[in-house]
């Protein structure tokens, strides 16, 4: 089994990012993920380039300012990709205040969508950790705020396959050009991303072709850091991706193809993962195919209750700002 698809915490760090995965590094065409740590009073700027992005607080809150015009250079606190803004260029500025959250285990968060060909500045008075989920795209949409109260919280599976999904950037929930992103929380001892499934070929109405990144955080318990496990097995359509990874907070697993699942939470430790997906399909949709040897497990779910520990939390009733 290959380890090239399992990126341990800090192994994929680059510049200001504690995790930086782009299409070139991943060896694919669309999906990106950056994780940014900011100290109290810290700030960071970047040019979105040819990708759309969602700024998602993992812990803490921040202010997001986006200037849509010609892609520009970042300031001295951030990256320096992109061309400088021409003198007199027309710019449209938007500012979003993100309340954020204490941690991924404490609640749903608000977020900000920023389009391609824009400049973005993120600043945090109290500091925090922020995920930048991205996808190369063609259309340039408008910058927007996503309220925590508008995030659909879904419970999937039953019994020890129960998990919670926060569909903040799911297809059909929040408009993007290509980007699909959701959060999954799995109580300790449960399996999620199960039955194993794939989305590595385009079969209209049945399966989407989507690259995927899993970013993990594991809740500590009794002063002990937790672990989880992620499995990926080869499919006939893929390039033989085969992964069995013990994952810890800050780790990521790349899934260019193949059957993926289960994602296993160790007893006593809630497992969180952020899924980032994008692909070449004309329609932005998440269509999956269950593994033929394991799809039968779905037929057992109606006879079992959902894990009573779920939901771990719900979206707030009011605007999070």
């Amino acid at each position: 089994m290959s380890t090239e698809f399992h990126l341990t915490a800090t192994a994929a760090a680059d510049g200001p990012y504690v995790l930086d995965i782009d299409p070139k590094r991943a060896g694919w065409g669309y999906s990106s993920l950056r994780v940014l740590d900011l100290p109290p009073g810290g700030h960071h700027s970047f040019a979105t380039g040819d990708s759309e992005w969602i700024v998602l607080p993992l812990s803490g809150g921040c202010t997001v300012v986006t200037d849509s015009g010609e892609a520009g250079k970042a300031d001295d606190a951030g990256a320096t990709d992109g061309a400088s803004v021409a003198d007199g260029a027309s710019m449209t500025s938007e500012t979003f205040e993100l309340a954020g959250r204490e941690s991924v285990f404490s609640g749903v968060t608000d977020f900000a969508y920023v389009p391609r060909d824009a400049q973005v500045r993120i600043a945090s008075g109290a500091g925090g950790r922020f995920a930048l989920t991205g996808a190369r795209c063609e259309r340039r949409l408008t910058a927007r705020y996503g309220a925590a109260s508008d995030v659909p919280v879904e419970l999937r599976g039953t019994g020890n396959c129960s998990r919670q999904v926060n569909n903040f950037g799911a297809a059909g929930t929040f408009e993007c050009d290509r980007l699909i992103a959701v959060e999954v929380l799995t109580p300790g001892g449960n399996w999620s991303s199960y039955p194993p499934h794939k989305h590595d070929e385009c079969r209209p109405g049945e399966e989407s072709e989507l690259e995927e990144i899993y970013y993990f955080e594991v809740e500590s318990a009794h002063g002990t850091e937790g672990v989880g496990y992620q499995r990926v097995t080869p499919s006939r359509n893929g390039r033989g991706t085969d992964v069995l990874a013990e994952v810890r907070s800050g780790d990521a697993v790349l899934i260019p193809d193949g059957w993926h699942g289960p994602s296993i939470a160790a007893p006593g430790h809630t497992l969180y993962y952020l899924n980032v997906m994008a692909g070449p399909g004309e329609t932005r949709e998440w269509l999956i195919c269950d593994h033929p040897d394991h799809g039968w497990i779905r037929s057992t779910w109606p006879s079992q209750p959902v894990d009573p520990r779920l939901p771990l939390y719900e979206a707030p009733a009011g605007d999070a700002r």
Side-chain angles (χ1 to χ4, degrees), residues 2 4 28 65 73 80 116 126 150 162 222 225 234 315:
S2 173
E4 65 179 299
W28 56 36
V65 179
K73 287 184 177 179
T80 56
R116 59 168 292 161
D150 291 337
S162 302
H222 298 280
E225 293 185 357

Side-chain angles (χ1 to χ4, degrees), residues 42-269:
H43 58 92
H44 171 69
S45 297
F46 69 99
T48 60
D50 61 1
S51 296
E52 58 186 346
W53 299 85
I54 285 178
V55 179
L56 181 79
L58 300 174
S59 63
C62 64
T63 300
V64 178
V65 179
T66 176
D67 292 317
S68 298
E70 296 184 29
K73 287 184 177 179
D75 65 15
D76 57 3
T80 56
D81 54 327
S84 62
V85 178
D87 291 341
S90 176
M91 303 292 290
T92 300
S93 181
E94 296 277 359
T95 299
F96 306 110
E97 298 291 343
L98 303 187
R101 55 189 166 183
E102 181 179 350
S103 78
V104 297
F105 304 106
S106 65
V108 179
T109 184
D110 50 357
F111 59 92
Y113 172 90
V114 294
R116 59 168 292 161
D117 301 321
Q119 298 174 93
V120 180
R121 177 180 169 90
I122 303 171
S124 180
R129 171 170 282 211
F130 308 95
L132 311 179
T133 66
R136 281 180 174 161
C137 64
E138 288 73 43
R139 291 192 301 149
R140 185 177 177 190
L141 306 180
T142 58
R144 279 162 290 138
Y145 173 81
S149 57
D150 291 337
V151 174
V153 174
E154 173 189 4
L155 302 186
R156 286 188 194 159
T158 61
N160 62 359
C161 290
S162 302
R163 61 271 201 185
Q164 174 174 331
V165 184
N166 300 336
N167 288 303
F168 72 95
T173 295
F174 187 85
E175 185 184 11
C176 298
D177 187 25
R178 292 193 178 276
L179 177 63
I180 297 173
V182 301
E183 300 179 302
V184 182
L185 294 113
T186 307
N190 286 6
W191 286 24
S192 62
S193 283
Y194 198 79
H197 59 279
K198 74 180 186 75
H199 41 70
D200 59 14
E201 60 183 315
C202 180
R203 296 186 296 132
E206 296 185 42
E207 184 178 350
S208 308
E209 182 180 351
L210 296 167
E211 313 149 350
E212 186 162 16
I213 302 168
Y214 275 57
Y215 166 78
F216 296 91
E217 294 198 7
V218 187
E219 189 172 35
S220 298
H222 298 280
T224 303
E225 293 185 357
V227 299
Y229 296 88
Q230 177 66 45
R231 187 72 170 107
V232 185
T233 54
S235 66
R236 289 183 300 176
N237 190 60
R239 64 191 196 193
T241 304
D242 195 355
V243 179
L244 175 56
E246 182 175 280
V247 296
R248 291 173 168 78
S249 290
D251 287 6
V253 171
L254 308 180
I255 303 176
D257 54 72
W259 304 101
H260 42 289
S263 303
I264 303 172
H269 299 274

